[in-house]
Amino acid sequence: MEEHKNEYHISFFKPTTEHARLNRNMVIWFVLIWVVAIFGFQLALYVLQKPTPEPVLKTFKASWPAVSSGQASTQELQDHSFATLSVLGKVFIKPEYRKVLDRTLSRSVLSLCDSAQKVDVMANIQDFRAVIASIDASQARIDEINTKDALSSKQKKEKIEPLQKEINAGWEQYSIAKEKLVVQLTPILGLETTDVRTRILPLELTSSLEPLTDEEKMIVEKAMDLYLIHNQSVLTDTKLFGFPFHYFYTAIFLLILFVGLCWLYCVRTDKINARLNVVD
Amino acid sequence: MMKKIILPILLLAMPALTFAATKSQSLEGSFKVGPAIILITILTLFVLVGILFRAKDTNDYYAAGRGISRVGSGMAIASNWMSAASFLGMAALMYGYGYHGLAYVVGWTGGYVLLLILMAGQIRKYGKYTAADFIGDRYYSQGLRAIGAIIAILISISYCVGQFGGIGLMFKWILGIPYGWAVLIGGSVVLAYTLISGMLGVTKNMQIQYVIIIVSFLIPLFILTFKFDYMWLLPQIGYGSVVSDTISGIPLAETKQLVNSLGHEFASVPAPEYAMPWDPSTGQTMFQWIALAFSLMVGTAGLPHVIQRFYVVPKARDARWSVVWGLFFICILYWSAPAYAAFGRILSANPEIGKLSKDAIVVYTAQLGEVNPLIVGLLAAGGVSAAFSTVSGLLVAGSSAFAHDLYVKVINPEAPPKRQLLFARLATVLMAVIVTLIALLDLALIGQLVAVAFSLAGCTIFPLFLLGIWWSGSNKAGAVAGLITGGLISLIAITYFIAGTQEIVLPFHDFVSYWLEAWYFAWIGAPLAILANIVVSKLTKPTPIEIRKFLIEKVHA
């Protein structure tokens, strides 16, 4: 029995045939390449990375103490608005951060206006918000009508048509109101007309002038750090085929390597099998 | 034969398609005629192919008669693999989490290297129909066969939930109906299709589906790179500059009057968070990246419906080469998916666009890029095809586990083939109902839901196959110990995940949710299950001589 036990024993690490030994060696090499290529590179990224702020964070840090204490100069208010808009223009921001950033931006923008401008800007912001509210209300009515099973298609169409006209007119008003704010505020903020932030500005403004609480000020600082500091290194800053190197390596090269490893494994296995007369 | 099917369908659909080209306007909400016609045409084609190549007996139903070529099998592997998670979910994860999303790209491709060098040929040589068959025979236990079958069913259900979510999203987009109805309708169609065709039809269909999936995915990408003035001849490389532009921002002065379909300029503020590794704003860490990639890779090598594909090739050599072809075909899509995320990021940068459903970002990107509505419709239909091809494979794997491994091998070995087929079909219906009910809850992103199935497979089936093939010392007691360990970790992780979705706070919630998150708990579950298997095997009665002899003479000969 004991003899049988030894005779019929398979262990990857203790091959008993030439074929098994060659296969084991090949598998170990392939797994090593695979591990180092995937996880070794990520480890290198981690070791080399340094928290790197976007240039605009420096602008924010320089202006924030004065803005926060309500004693900012025109330049500081403009810098603060510019920095805040740089974060608000990002695709994903937590709603709680967006709310506070909108308020600090609005306060800075309104502080940059003289009394007459302020009244005018606030009225324009309110007009713009009213247009948005009206479009939303009409859309909500349409959605409500669409969900009413009791109405026939014809009845639904009759009810929806005037609402749709209202929405179309609303969008025209929306564009006018938005452009009015852009034209009015771009010079006040010292922005260039070709700056993408000018397109974001009207959407983020509120007409509230209430000062930020200490807690909200901390949120502003936290949000700016969170969205403006990134892990960068020589691997992320070097370019290859237009990609940041680390991105090319992970998204493109690793996949090429995987296909290459699989192809090589099959070719080598076929050769080993042929050499040792092993038939599948 | 195929020409006879495809040509009349295209001719019938052509007039309607011409009319429909001017209709599809909005990102969401309305019924889109063109995309709907394309979808119906493609589904009709699938069903016709399914009927023509339908399963005639159980051998056909389970393993397609083992008559599929290497390249054909590679295409089927790719089609089976490229699910809604690959087609829609991956771009969604990169769109939302930036570099962290690349862990899915690496995890879902790197696992094939493991699968090939550790298992593919040996699985074919073992010569069993299903994963549970292997487990039951290798570990000489009917109980383990039953448990293997139950795990295979659970994995199939878990995997299908994300797919049904993707089908629901695309049906919602095309038909302009609420998500719930879309899941119900889409689920019913995929169920009918799987029941009609069985696996032989599925395998033939998978080759057609691969072509549709890849063509529908690539065409909009060529258009987007061409339109927005990037290197369009090879968009998989050309989008590198899109990533760099996202990082540095695109000033209005440099947009060259390019706008999205809603009239917003092709401009954005600098967004390095999109591409920088584990950026703080994404809330993801390096550990999570590594754990996720590892879990997806070991999960790949443990998924029953993937393993099952190696039974349908004639020889072990074919099994190996079909992996190479399969992975190459898969990579064509995986090289391309990040491009959609990058374009999506810039095209949706204007806050006026509002919050978009991440899982539909592939389609939204094509829409925002003003790609012809018919091509966007083809893209959406490609998404549905991707989900269909995977779901049918999963439902077959799950129903095989029930009818073949549980019913015939454990409960009623004398069951005639007709009854086996009946039970397989009943199991398919039951699974589809369960999956639909869970999918309606809309628990997480498609890619994340699918990742749960990978971790579950990585903790349970992967250790059994790995040790079962490579170490004859692994015995029944060891397998039970490994299953208990892997199962326990899976149970904890999934319990905390479900509790989280219901806003129930369990003890050590933050700790467990971080270290054992539902998408990557196999990082620790798989090694611990392997360790438990080895330790207990060493301490208990050795594997019977017949099994060891079989391993030497058949599997490693």
Side-chain angles (χ1 to χ4, degrees), chain A residues 135-199:
Chain A
I135 294 171
D136 286 347
S138 301
Q139 188 58 54
R141 283 279 299 134
I142 291 177
D143 293 342
E144 194 188 329
I145 292 165
N146 275 327
T147 54
K148 276 185 184 167
D149 294 335
L151 296 174
S152 67
S153 304
K154 198 182 168 191
Q155 285 171 317
K156 280 182 184 173
K157 200 179 167 190
E158 279 169 4
K159 284 179 183 289
I160 287 172
E161 220 161 274
L163 288 166
Q164 195 58 56
K165 276 184 187 163
E166 276 177 37
I167 290 178
N168 293 342
W171 281 119
E172 279 174 30
Q173 289 173 342
Y174 174 94
S175 300
I176 295 165
K178 186 184 158 194
E179 199 52 32
K180 204 188 261 183
L181 279 167
V182 171
V183 171
Q184 195 171 29
L185 293 174
T186 301
I188 293 174
L189 288 180
L191 291 172
E192 288 178 22
T193 50
T194 54
D195 194 320
V196 70
R197 290 164 190 81
T198 57
R199 302 295 190 270

Side-chain angles (χ1 to χ4, degrees), chain B residues 88-105:
Chain B
L88 303 170
M90 228 162 35
L93 287 154
M94 280 174 277
Y95 175 74
Y97 297 110
Y99 186 81
H100 183 75
L102 289 180
Y104 288 86
V105 176

Side-chain angles (χ1 to χ4, degrees), chain B residues 160-282:
Chain B
C160 274
V161 171
Q163 308 308 319
F164 273 48
I167 292 171
L169 266 179
M170 289 301 100
F171 269 66
K172 172 179 176 251
W173 181 84
I174 293 168
L175 304 178
I177 53 175
Y179 174 76
W181 281 110
V183 171
L184 287 173
I185 294 171
S188 308
V189 177
V190 73
L191 172 64
Y193 159 65
T194 309
L195 286 175
I196 289 169
S197 59
M199 197 164 187
L200 185 57
V202 168
T203 305
K204 291 282 178 202
N205 254 333
M206 279 176 175
Q207 293 160 16
I208 299 166
Q209 280 164 346
Y210 175 76
V211 175
I212 289 172
I213 291 166
I214 207 71
V215 167
S216 66
F217 202 73
L218 292 185
I219 290 176
L221 209 51
F222 279 102
I223 295 172
L224 285 170
T225 40
F226 178 77
K227 193 167 184 177
F228 290 98
D229 209 16
Y230 292 96
M231 191 183 80
W232 62 274
L233 284 171
L234 192 57
Q236 292 82 355
I237 295 292
Y239 85 90
S241 301
V242 184
V243 175
S244 292
D245 283 349
T246 310
I247 294 171
S248 58
I250 305 177
L252 282 177
E254 291 177 21
T255 61
K256 300 172 190 167
Q257 273 99 45
L258 291 168
V259 290
N260 68 18
S261 60
L262 302 177
H264 305 124
E265 291 91 349
F266 190 73
S268 69
V269 296
E273 69 276 10
Y274 175 68
M276 293 308 148
W278 29 89
D279 194 86
S281 68
T282 63

Side-chain angles (χ1 to χ4, degrees), chain B residues 394-407:
Chain B
L394 285 164
L395 290 180
V396 167
S399 63
S400 306
F402 179 77
H404 179 79
D405 300 316
L406 264 183
Y407 181 67

Side-chain angles (χ1 to χ4, degrees), chain A residues 8-269:
Chain A
Y8 293 113
H9 183 66
I10 283 283
S11 170
F12 175 76
F13 293 104
K14 291 175 190 164
T16 51
T17 63
E18 177 65 0
H19 183 267
R21 192 184 63 78
L22 288 171
N23 184 59
R24 179 203 61 182
N25 293 348
M26 186 164 61
V27 169
I28 289 175
W29 271 109
F30 275 64
V31 170
L32 270 177
I33 294 169
W34 180 83
V35 167
V36 171
I38 301 169
F39 302 113
F41 181 78
Q42 305 308 321
L43 202 64
L45 261 182
Y46 186 75
V47 170
L48 294 174
Q49 75 183 20
K50 281 189 185 135
T52 310
E54 286 183 44
V56 77
L57 185 64
K58 206 174 161 190
T59 312
F60 167 77
K61 297 265 185 199
S63 62
W64 177 240
V67 172
S68 173
S69 61
Q71 293 169 339
S73 64
T74 300
Q75 185 61 52
E76 284 166 335
L77 286 168
Q78 286 178 338
D79 286 350
H80 178 69
S81 305
F82 183 86
T84 319
L85 281 168
S86 300
V87 171
L88 286 166
K90 291 178 186 286
V91 175
F92 293 107
I93 308 176
K94 287 182 183 172
E96 60 268 31
Y97 290 167
R98 180 179 287 278
K99 203 174 153 191
V100 180
L101 290 175
D102 279 351
R103 287 194 51 217
T104 186
L105 170 72
S106 305
R107 271 184 62 79
S108 296
V109 170
L110 291 169
S111 303
L112 282 164
C113 303
D114 60 33
S115 318
Q117 283 174 327
K118 196 179 282 182
V119 173
D120 201 19
V121 169
M122 283 180 78
N124 286 339
I125 293 172
Q126 278 161 2
D127 284 351
F128 185 56
R129 292 281 152 204
V131 172
I132 294 173
S134 144
I135 294 171
D136 286 347
S138 301
Q139 188 58 54
R141 283 279 299 134
I142 291 177
D143 293 342
E144 194 188 329
I145 292 165
N146 275 327
T147 54
K148 276 185 184 167
D149 294 335
L151 296 174
S152 67
S153 304
K154 198 182 168 191
Q155 285 171 317
K156 280 182 184 173
K157 200 179 167 190
E158 279 169 4
K159 284 179 183 289
I160 287 172
E161 220 161 274
L163 288 166
Q164 195 58 56
K165 276 184 187 163
E166 276 177 37
I167 290 178
N168 293 342
W171 281 119
E172 279 174 30
Q173 289 173 342
Y174 174 94
S175 300
I176 295 165
K178 186 184 158 194
E179 199 52 32
K180 204 188 261 183
L181 279 167
V182 171
V183 171
Q184 195 171 29
L185 293 174
T186 301
I188 293 174
L189 288 180
L191 291 172
E192 288 178 22
T193 50
T194 54
D195 194 320
V196 70
R197 290 164 190 81
T198 57
R199 302 295 190 270
I200 300 159
L201 179 63
L203 306 164
E204 305 296 338
L205 290 175
T206 66
S207 53
S208 160
L209 270 172
E210 261 183 65
L212 268 63
T213 63
D214 287 345
E215 196 185 334
E216 285 172 328
K217 284 176 186 170
M218 280 170 66
I219 291 175
V220 172
E221 290 170 22
K222 198 175 157 188
M224 298 301 275
D225 282 345
L226 183 67
Y227 292 105
L228 294 175
I229 297 177
H230 313 286
N231 298 320
Q232 288 178 244
S233 66
V234 65
L235 295 174
T236 63
D237 297 344
T238 307
K239 293 276 165 63
L240 187 63
F241 301 123
F243 286 92
F245 176 77
H246 75 295
Y247 201 96
F248 174 83
Y249 180 92
T250 308
I252 307 289
F253 172 74
L254 276 181
L255 275 60
I256 296 172
L257 180 75
F258 295 154
V259 177
L261 282 176
C262 288
W263 176 80
L264 198 60
Y265 176 82
C266 286
V267 169
R268 283 191 60 85
T269 303

Side-chain angles (χ1 to χ4, degrees), chain B residues 81-97 100-105 107-108 155 158-167 169 179 292-293 295-297 300 303 334 337 357-362 387 390 442-456 497 517-521:
Chain B
W81 183 256
M82 294 186 326
S83 64
S86 306
F87 200 98
L88 303 170
M90 228 162 35
L93 287 154
M94 280 174 277
Y95 175 74
Y97 297 110
H100 183 75
L102 289 180
Y104 288 86
V105 176
W108 279 332
I155 289 169
S158 166
Y159 205 125
C160 274
V161 171
Q163 308 308 319
F164 273 48
I167 292 171
L169 266 179
Y179 174 76
L292 182 59
S295 297
L296 297 177
M297 289 190 277
T300 302
L303 281 173
Y334 278 51
S357 164
K358 291 190 188 91
D359 275 330
I361 197 65
V362 165
T390 309
D442 201 10
L443 292 170
L445 291 174
I446 296 169
Q448 292 171 325
L449 288 170
V450 169
V452 178
F454 278 75
S455 268
L456 188 55
F497 166 61
E517 195 166 32
W519 352 121
Y520 55 70
F521 57 86

